[in-house]
Amino acid sequence: MSGLRPDNSTAGGLRERKKAKTRATIQHEALRLFREQGYEATTVEQIAEVVEISPSTFFRYFRAKEDLVLTDDYDPLIIEALGAQPTELGPVQAVRAALRAVFGGLGQEELADIRSRAELALGVPELRAAMFDQAAQTVRQVIDLATARAGRPAGDFAIYTMAGAILGVMGAAEVYWVEHPESNLATLLDEALAYLEPRLTP
């Protein structure tokens, strides 16, 4: 009867996909409510009601309301894609390739949610402060990865400045995108890094 044994790996994969889908639905509906009635006016209870879950279930997916804006699946994907780039690529070339891999296939709904999150993070003071704290953590991740890729010693100041420059122009491109809705985020990120590339050697 071994052929009737459940495939635990498949079951686990299905559970993870279901959790990811529920998480994405919660975030998408929350962003819609934020757009319609404002961040401050929207409560966790309202979000849970729209998604048809309990508030306690909500907190299994997000620790707090601010995480709906500050948390996404793209940073881990970008870090993973960056780590997968050939070692012969320069640091900026590798980041450009990673961004193309992640953002190239995004649909309009996903981009609309990214824009909403960026607008909220820049416009709501409490979120803006938390965003800068989060950015510091991202800088550290990029520093560690760039150090390993370049084979440089830990604490190399050139790597720190390189990571800061890369994330700085990416942040500026995102602000421009928020202020110019007709622009394309993937194109802006690539153009910003292309401008930086010949000027940056770790």
Side-chain angles (χ1 to χ4, degrees):
M1 300 293 288
S2 60
L4 298 180
R5 292 174 61 188
D7 185 340
N8 290 329
S9 62
T10 301
L14 289 172
R15 281 195 298 271
E16 289 305 311
R17 286 196 293 273
K18 184 177 179 182
K19 286 172 62 177
K21 184 177 180 180
T22 299
R23 179 183 175 86
T25 299
I26 294 170
Q27 190 172 40
H28 177 71
E29 291 300 324
L31 291 170
R32 181 180 63 80
L33 288 174
F34 295 158
R35 286 192 295 268
E36 291 177 357
Q37 59 190 35
Y39 176 80
E40 292 86 354
T42 302
T43 66
V44 167
E45 289 73 21
Q46 288 174 326
I47 297 166
E49 182 178 357
V50 168
V51 186
E52 298 183 339
I53 59 174
S54 67
S56 60
T57 299
F58 170 93
F59 287 113
R60 289 207 293 269
Y61 289 90
F62 295 94
R63 295 172 304 169
K65 189 173 76 168
E66 69 177 26
D67 288 345
L68 291 160
V69 177
L70 299 173
T71 302
D72 66 34
D73 296 326
Y74 303 112
D75 281 356
L77 290 175
I78 293 169
I79 294 295
E80 181 181 352
L82 182 56
Q85 299 307 310
T87 54
E88 61 266 22
L89 289 183
V92 181
Q93 289 177 314
V95 173
R96 292 177 71 187
L99 290 174
R100 290 190 199 107
V102 172
F103 286 100
L106 295 183
Q108 291 303 310
E109 185 174 280
E110 290 172 299
L111 287 169
D113 281 352
I114 294 173
R115 182 185 292 280
S116 293
R117 291 176 48 248
E119 290 171 344
L120 287 163
L122 292 169
V124 178
E126 64 184 272
L127 294 177
R128 191 161 57 242
M131 179 183 67
F132 283 116
D133 179 65
Q134 188 181 63
Q137 298 176 40
T138 303
V139 169
R140 167 49 63 186
Q141 288 181 297
V142 173
I143 288 169
D144 291 344
L145 188 54
T147 298
R149 281 182 59 87
R152 303 290 282 266
D156 188 326
F157 184 59
I159 296 291
Y160 281 65
T161 57
M162 182 196 70
I166 289 173
L167 293 173
V169 297
M170 288 174 62
E174 187 173 11
V175 171
Y176 182 93
W177 179 58
V178 169
E179 295 177 352
H180 298 80
E182 74 285 357
S183 60
N184 180 280
L185 177 59
T187 300
L188 290 172
L189 290 170
D190 196 61
E191 288 181 359
L193 289 165
Y195 178 79
L196 184 65
E197 187 171 345
R199 297 163 174 80
L200 192 62
T201 303

